[in-house]
Each structure stands twice: as structure tokens, then as C-alpha cells.
Amino acid sequence: MGKIILCEARQAVIPYVFVNTKVEVYSYEELCFYIYNNVALLNREQFQGKLVQWIKSELGLEELATAIMEKLSAESDLVEILVVILSAGSYYEPAEIRQFIEKQELVELLPENEKIKLRADSFLMYKRLLKAISLYDEILRQEETIEDKRLIGDVLHNRGVALAKNMELSKAKLSFLEAYEHNKKKPSLEAYITLRLLEDAPETVMPEAKTFGMEEADFNRISMLLEDAIDDSSNTVAFTRYQKALYNKDHGDYEAFNQRVDMLLHQWKEEFREQIV
């Protein structure tokens, strides 16, 4: 369930935009909510310059801005700075802030690769796919030094999710297969079989699924879910535009065909640019 944010302080006319996720915040409360739930994507440098100035000028919280600057000057760690912000208002109760501190203390004890995975998973959640893939690959380059093979499997699975969302289906399929080989988790196997079903007919893929021990009922469920997803995709704007472009081409209207294709390419280019900023 989402959380209703009640704003007690004034709202900003100009939002602050977190560059790495493109999330806009307009109030102190929204800033607190973002901080509380996205620590893996934050660093000390973000709380210098523009953000502090925004807190001061747009929110009118001069004392908070000064307190942040004092923490930065004292070379306080990130969590101390975040606690100063979370404690400046009443959005989070003291008990919630203590839980926040305890969680960050536990995170600090994690191996570096697990911290990187937390960042990658956060980027994946915000659909910053290229950044997520890059961080997953960073972990995998150190695979030989990582004792926990389940971690490798989970990294490979989430990497597969990011690749699939980025329409790199062949790479995603292999990533899911490798994930299952490491973690033996059902979601990894099901993701692999789903992508196999995009390549071959069910009767071809089923024997392979059975070699992994997949139950026929699970295989049929995946097949039906995939069929439903394919049917749903026909209602998307991109698919409709693509179908219309093909219609124009088949009827010799190459001007309209080129215009529709250009529109699709422009849309995809913009989406790609969003990934690399």
C-alpha cells in the first residue's frame, strides 16, 4: 500500500530532481520519503550545492540547510546527514528514524558486492536499466572472489530482468538460465522458459522444461500467461503505430510509413537517452 504524504511545510514552485532516478520532489515530506526509501542511491555529494540551496530557497528551511552544511563541514557520514533531515520535521516518528538508523548500520556490515546489488536493484526499480545492468556486470566480474553462489544467482536473475525490460531477450534468456544454475530458484527457471517460449512452440520447449524438473501444470500456466501478455501488447501505442506503418507500406504509402517509423524511432531514442543521463 502506498503512503499518503501530508505536507506541513510549504511546497516548492520548482521541484528538486534526483538526477539518477529522475524523481521530482516538491516538499520536505516528499524529500524525507525519498531519502527513507532510497538510501542505496544517495551519497554525500548530493547534499551539497543545489539540494541544500533548494531546501533553503524553495522550502524556506534555512535552519535545516545550515544544519546540513555544518554536518558536511564536519565531514559527517551520509547517515548522519540523512538523520538530520529526517528529524527536522514530524513526517517520521522517532521510532521510525531509529529503525532507519539500525537498517543502515546493518547495510554497512554487508560485503561491498551486496551493497552494489542494492544500488543496482534500486536502479532497476526506477527503470534505469543500463545503470542497473552495468552494476550487475560489475559484481559478476568479481564472481570468482564471491563465496555465496546464491548471491551470484540473484544478481544474474535481476540482470536478466533488466535485460528483458531493455529488449535484450537473448542475453536475458542466458542470464536467467545461469541464475537458475546458481540459485535453483523457481522464478529464474520460469523466466528462462518464458523466453524460450518466445523462440519455439510449446511442444518443443516442454521437453526441455521437464529436464529441469518443471511440472506440467507450471509449464501450462507460464504458456497461458505469455499468451495473455502477447494479446495485451497489441493494445499498446507502439504496437498500434507499428501495425499502421506496415499497413501504409503494404499499400504503397511510403511517406506515411516513413513518418510512423520515424515517430517510433524518436520514441525509442528518447527512452534510450533517459537511460544514459
Side-chain angles (χ1 to χ4, degrees):
M1 179 179 288
K3 186 169 186 176
I4 297 175
I5 300 178
L6 300 177
C7 299
E8 298 176 1
R10 81 184 194 195
Q11 282 197 300
V13 175
I14 301 172
Y16 180 79
V17 182
F18 286 92
V19 176
N20 55 4
T21 59
K22 304 300 181 186
V23 171
E24 298 180 351
V25 293
Y26 283 86
S27 66
Y28 166 77
E29 290 79 8
E30 289 178 343
L31 175 63
C32 286
F33 184 82
Y34 185 88
I35 286 172
Y36 200 93
N37 294 283
N38 295 283
V39 180
L41 297 177
L42 301 174
N43 57 63
R44 291 180 79 260
E45 288 68 30
Q46 288 173 295
F47 293 89
Q48 302 178 37
K50 289 184 180 180
L51 179 53
V52 173
Q53 184 58 39
W54 179 81
I55 290 171
K56 181 178 180 180
S57 60
E58 287 292 325
L59 299 184
L61 300 174
E62 294 188 20
E63 290 186 10
L64 175 56
T66 300
I68 294 171
M69 292 304 296
E70 288 175 352
K71 286 291 183 182
L72 289 168
S73 297
E75 298 187 354
S76 301
D77 63 29
L78 176 62
V79 173
E80 289 183 73
I81 296 168
L82 300 183
V83 169
V84 166
I85 297 172
L86 297 175
S87 303
S90 57
Y91 184 62
Y92 283 110
E93 299 290 336
E96 293 176 298
I97 295 175
R98 284 196 299 273
Q99 290 175 358
F100 173 82
I101 295 170
E102 290 168 1
K103 179 180 177 181
Q104 302 319 311
E105 288 174 346
L106 291 175
V107 169
E108 279 302 308
L109 298 175
L110 293 174
E112 187 60 29
N113 284 319
E114 293 191 40
K115 294 179 185 177
I116 296 173
K117 181 179 179 295
L118 288 176
R119 289 187 63 220
D121 291 347
S122 295
F123 278 128
L124 177 57
M125 179 181 68
Y126 283 106
K127 299 181 181 179
R128 314 302 289 173
L129 305 177
L130 296 183
K131 290 183 178 180
I133 293 167
S134 176
L135 289 172
Y136 290 135
D137 286 343
E138 182 180 334
I139 297 171
L140 294 173
R141 283 194 291 271
Q142 304 172 52
E143 180 176 354
E144 292 182 0
T145 67
I146 300 174
E147 295 182 3
D148 186 355
K149 299 308 175 185
R150 289 174 300 178
L151 172 63
I152 296 297
D154 293 343
V155 168
L156 284 163
H157 179 91
N158 289 3
R159 177 177 177 269
V161 172
L163 287 166
K165 287 179 178 291
N166 204 43
M167 298 307 295
E168 299 180 70
L169 300 186
S170 295
K171 292 181 180 179
K173 179 188 67 176
L174 294 176
S175 199
F176 286 130
L177 179 58
E178 289 184 61
Y180 181 69
E181 290 171 350
H182 283 81
N183 61 22
K184 300 301 179 187
K185 291 184 177 179
K186 189 175 180 178
S188 297
L189 176 59
E190 292 188 349
Y192 169 72
I193 294 299
T194 299
L195 293 183
R196 282 287 292 114
L197 284 167
L198 288 175
E199 298 176 325
D200 289 311
E203 56 268 23
T204 302
V205 180
M206 182 178 284
E208 181 181 1
K210 286 184 176 180
T211 65
F212 291 109
M214 177 176 283
E215 298 289 338
E216 186 172 346
D218 287 332
F219 182 85
N220 291 335
R221 173 177 53 81
I222 293 170
S223 298
M224 286 189 290
L225 287 173
L226 181 59
E227 287 177 10
D228 290 343
I230 292 172
D231 288 341
D232 291 342
S233 71
S234 64
N235 296 319
T236 63
V237 173
F239 184 83
T240 301
R241 190 169 290 163
Y242 173 71
Q243 291 293 96
K244 288 180 178 179
L246 290 181
Y247 177 86
N248 294 141
K249 182 181 179 182
D250 291 341
H251 288 76
D253 189 351
Y254 291 102
E255 181 178 354
F257 169 76
N258 289 332
Q259 287 177 345
R260 293 190 191 282
V261 170
D262 286 344
M263 291 170 69
L264 277 172
L265 291 174
H266 177 74
Q267 175 187 335
W268 293 334
K269 285 178 181 177
E270 287 300 310
E271 291 173 358
F272 181 76
R273 289 191 186 102
E274 283 289 305
Q275 292 296 325
I276 61 178
V277 172

PDB file of all heavy atoms in Angstrom, residues 120-134:
ATOM      1  N   ALA A 120      22.038  -1.460  -7.593  1.00  0.00           N
ATOM      2  CA  ALA A 120      21.557  -1.948  -8.891  1.00  0.00           C
ATOM      3  C   ALA A 120      20.060  -2.250  -8.831  1.00  0.00           C
ATOM      4  O   ALA A 120      19.308  -1.903  -9.751  1.00  0.00           O
ATOM      5  CB  ALA A 120      22.335  -3.186  -9.296  1.00  0.00           C
ATOM      6  N   ASP A 121      19.609  -2.895  -7.748  1.00  0.00           N
ATOM      7  CA  ASP A 121      18.188  -3.227  -7.608  1.00  0.00           C
ATOM      8  C   ASP A 121      17.334  -1.954  -7.555  1.00  0.00           C
ATOM      9  O   ASP A 121      16.215  -1.921  -8.087  1.00  0.00           O
ATOM     10  CB  ASP A 121      17.960  -4.050  -6.337  1.00  0.00           C
ATOM     11  CG  ASP A 121      18.565  -5.446  -6.435  1.00  0.00           C
ATOM     12  OD1 ASP A 121      18.928  -5.864  -7.548  1.00  0.00           O
ATOM     13  OD2 ASP A 121      18.692  -6.102  -5.380  1.00  0.00           O
ATOM     14  N   SER A 122      17.865  -0.921  -6.908  1.00  0.00           N
ATOM     15  CA  SER A 122      17.134   0.347  -6.838  1.00  0.00           C
ATOM     16  C   SER A 122      17.016   0.979  -8.219  1.00  0.00           C
ATOM     17  O   SER A 122      15.960   1.488  -8.602  1.00  0.00           O
ATOM     18  CB  SER A 122      17.833   1.313  -5.868  1.00  0.00           C
ATOM     19  OG  SER A 122      17.804   0.816  -4.547  1.00  0.00           O
ATOM     20  N   PHE A 123      18.110   0.947  -8.979  1.00  0.00           N
ATOM     21  CA  PHE A 123      18.061   1.474 -10.344  1.00  0.00           C
ATOM     22  C   PHE A 123      17.063   0.673 -11.187  1.00  0.00           C
ATOM     23  O   PHE A 123      16.336   1.249 -12.008  1.00  0.00           O
ATOM     24  CB  PHE A 123      19.438   1.437 -10.996  1.00  0.00           C
ATOM     25  CG  PHE A 123      20.323   2.593 -10.620  1.00  0.00           C
ATOM     26  CD1 PHE A 123      21.608   2.378 -10.140  1.00  0.00           C
ATOM     27  CD2 PHE A 123      19.875   3.899 -10.754  1.00  0.00           C
ATOM     28  CE1 PHE A 123      22.431   3.445  -9.794  1.00  0.00           C
ATOM     29  CE2 PHE A 123      20.691   4.974 -10.417  1.00  0.00           C
ATOM     30  CZ  PHE A 123      21.972   4.749  -9.939  1.00  0.00           C
ATOM     31  N   LEU A 124      17.028  -0.630 -10.995  1.00  0.00           N
ATOM     32  CA  LEU A 124      16.083  -1.475 -11.720  1.00  0.00           C
ATOM     33  C   LEU A 124      14.652  -1.081 -11.380  1.00  0.00           C
ATOM     34  O   LEU A 124      13.788  -0.997 -12.265  1.00  0.00           O
ATOM     35  CB  LEU A 124      16.334  -2.945 -11.385  1.00  0.00           C
ATOM     36  CG  LEU A 124      15.382  -3.975 -11.997  1.00  0.00           C
ATOM     37  CD1 LEU A 124      15.370  -3.876 -13.516  1.00  0.00           C
ATOM     38  CD2 LEU A 124      15.770  -5.383 -11.555  1.00  0.00           C
ATOM     39  N   MET A 125      14.392  -0.815 -10.115  1.00  0.00           N
ATOM     40  CA  MET A 125      13.058  -0.420  -9.680  1.00  0.00           C
ATOM     41  C   MET A 125      12.610   0.862 -10.377  1.00  0.00           C
ATOM     42  O   MET A 125      11.436   1.021 -10.734  1.00  0.00           O
ATOM     43  CB  MET A 125      13.041  -0.225  -8.163  1.00  0.00           C
ATOM     44  CG  MET A 125      11.700   0.201  -7.603  1.00  0.00           C
ATOM     45  SD  MET A 125      11.734   0.433  -5.813  1.00  0.00           S
ATOM     46  CE  MET A 125      12.803   1.877  -5.674  1.00  0.00           C
ATOM     47  N   TYR A 126      13.564   1.778 -10.593  1.00  0.00           N
ATOM     48  CA  TYR A 126      13.245   3.043 -11.255  1.00  0.00           C
ATOM     49  C   TYR A 126      13.408   2.971 -12.776  1.00  0.00           C
ATOM     50  O   TYR A 126      13.392   4.000 -13.451  1.00  0.00           O
ATOM     51  CB  TYR A 126      14.118   4.168 -10.692  1.00  0.00           C
ATOM     52  CG  TYR A 126      13.655   4.649  -9.337  1.00  0.00           C
ATOM     53  CD1 TYR A 126      14.350   4.311  -8.181  1.00  0.00           C
ATOM     54  CD2 TYR A 126      12.512   5.439  -9.219  1.00  0.00           C
ATOM     55  CE1 TYR A 126      13.916   4.759  -6.943  1.00  0.00           C
ATOM     56  CE2 TYR A 126      12.079   5.887  -7.980  1.00  0.00           C
ATOM     57  CZ  TYR A 126      12.786   5.539  -6.846  1.00  0.00           C
ATOM     58  OH  TYR A 126      12.358   5.983  -5.615  1.00  0.00           O
ATOM     59  N   LYS A 127      13.589   1.766 -13.304  1.00  0.00           N
ATOM     60  CA  LYS A 127      13.730   1.534 -14.741  1.00  0.00           C
ATOM     61  C   LYS A 127      14.944   2.240 -15.335  1.00  0.00           C
ATOM     62  O   LYS A 127      14.943   2.580 -16.523  1.00  0.00           O
ATOM     63  CB  LYS A 127      12.447   1.951 -15.479  1.00  0.00           C
ATOM     64  CG  LYS A 127      11.224   1.167 -15.044  1.00  0.00           C
ATOM     65  CD  LYS A 127       9.983   1.576 -15.801  1.00  0.00           C
ATOM     66  CE  LYS A 127       8.764   0.787 -15.318  1.00  0.00           C
ATOM     67  NZ  LYS A 127       7.523   1.180 -16.022  1.00  0.00           N
ATOM     68  N   ARG A 128      15.973   2.429 -14.526  1.00  0.00           N
ATOM     69  CA  ARG A 128      17.247   2.929 -15.038  1.00  0.00           C
ATOM     70  C   ARG A 128      18.066   1.706 -15.427  1.00  0.00           C
ATOM     71  O   ARG A 128      19.000   1.281 -14.733  1.00  0.00           O
ATOM     72  CB  ARG A 128      17.963   3.797 -14.000  1.00  0.00           C
ATOM     73  CG  ARG A 128      17.097   4.825 -13.319  1.00  0.00           C
ATOM     74  CD  ARG A 128      16.457   5.766 -14.313  1.00  0.00           C
ATOM     75  NE  ARG A 128      17.423   6.666 -14.913  1.00  0.00           N
ATOM     76  CZ  ARG A 128      17.155   7.488 -15.904  1.00  0.00           C
ATOM     77  NH1 ARG A 128      15.952   7.499 -16.433  1.00  0.00           N
ATOM     78  NH2 ARG A 128      18.094   8.286 -16.391  1.00  0.00           N
ATOM     79  N   LEU A 129      17.647   1.113 -16.527  1.00  0.00           N
ATOM     80  CA  LEU A 129      18.079  -0.242 -16.866  1.00  0.00           C
ATOM     81  C   LEU A 129      19.565  -0.351 -17.170  1.00  0.00           C
ATOM     82  O   LEU A 129      20.225  -1.303 -16.740  1.00  0.00           O
ATOM     83  CB  LEU A 129      17.257  -0.764 -18.039  1.00  0.00           C
ATOM     84  CG  LEU A 129      15.734  -0.723 -17.833  1.00  0.00           C
ATOM     85  CD1 LEU A 129      15.016  -1.185 -19.090  1.00  0.00           C
ATOM     86  CD2 LEU A 129      15.338  -1.588 -16.635  1.00  0.00           C
ATOM     87  N   LEU A 130      20.111   0.577 -17.919  1.00  0.00           N
ATOM     88  CA  LEU A 130      21.522   0.492 -18.277  1.00  0.00           C
ATOM     89  C   LEU A 130      22.420   0.637 -17.054  1.00  0.00           C
ATOM     90  O   LEU A 130      23.449  -0.034 -16.947  1.00  0.00           O
ATOM     91  CB  LEU A 130      21.868   1.554 -19.328  1.00  0.00           C
ATOM     92  CG  LEU A 130      21.169   1.399 -20.678  1.00  0.00           C
ATOM     93  CD1 LEU A 130      21.644   2.473 -21.645  1.00  0.00           C
ATOM     94  CD2 LEU A 130      21.409   0.017 -21.269  1.00  0.00           C
ATOM     95  N   LYS A 131      22.027   1.500 -16.132  1.00  0.00           N
ATOM     96  CA  LYS A 131      22.806   1.655 -14.908  1.00  0.00           C
ATOM     97  C   LYS A 131      22.743   0.384 -14.070  1.00  0.00           C
ATOM     98  O   LYS A 131      23.746  -0.046 -13.491  1.00  0.00           O
ATOM     99  CB  LYS A 131      22.300   2.855 -14.108  1.00  0.00           C
ATOM    100  CG  LYS A 131      22.605   4.197 -14.758  1.00  0.00           C
ATOM    101  CD  LYS A 131      22.146   5.357 -13.899  1.00  0.00           C
ATOM    102  CE  LYS A 131      22.513   6.687 -14.562  1.00  0.00           C
ATOM    103  NZ  LYS A 131      22.078   7.851 -13.743  1.00  0.00           N
ATOM    104  N   ALA A 132      21.555  -0.209 -14.006  1.00  0.00           N
ATOM    105  CA  ALA A 132      21.400  -1.448 -13.249  1.00  0.00           C
ATOM    106  C   ALA A 132      22.252  -2.559 -13.864  1.00  0.00           C
ATOM    107  O   ALA A 132      22.985  -3.266 -13.156  1.00  0.00           O
ATOM    108  CB  ALA A 132      19.930  -1.870 -13.215  1.00  0.00           C
ATOM    109  N   ILE A 133      22.172  -2.719 -15.173  1.00  0.00           N
ATOM    110  CA  ILE A 133      22.940  -3.761 -15.851  1.00  0.00           C
ATOM    111  C   ILE A 133      24.431  -3.566 -15.632  1.00  0.00           C
ATOM    112  O   ILE A 133      25.170  -4.528 -15.380  1.00  0.00           O
ATOM    113  CB  ILE A 133      22.613  -3.776 -17.359  1.00  0.00           C
ATOM    114  CG1 ILE A 133      21.166  -4.221 -17.575  1.00  0.00           C
ATOM    115  CG2 ILE A 133      23.561  -4.703 -18.119  1.00  0.00           C
ATOM    116  CD1 ILE A 133      20.641  -3.966 -18.977  1.00  0.00           C
ATOM    117  N   SER A 134      24.883  -2.317 -15.711  1.00  0.00           N
ATOM    118  CA  SER A 134      26.304  -2.021 -15.519  1.00  0.00           C
ATOM    119  C   SER A 134      26.780  -2.445 -14.134  1.00  0.00           C
ATOM    120  O   SER A 134      27.864  -3.027 -13.980  1.00  0.00           O
ATOM    121  CB  SER A 134      26.550  -0.518 -15.720  1.00  0.00           C
ATOM    122  OG  SER A 134      27.897  -0.185 -15.445  1.00  0.00           O
TER     123      SER A 134
END
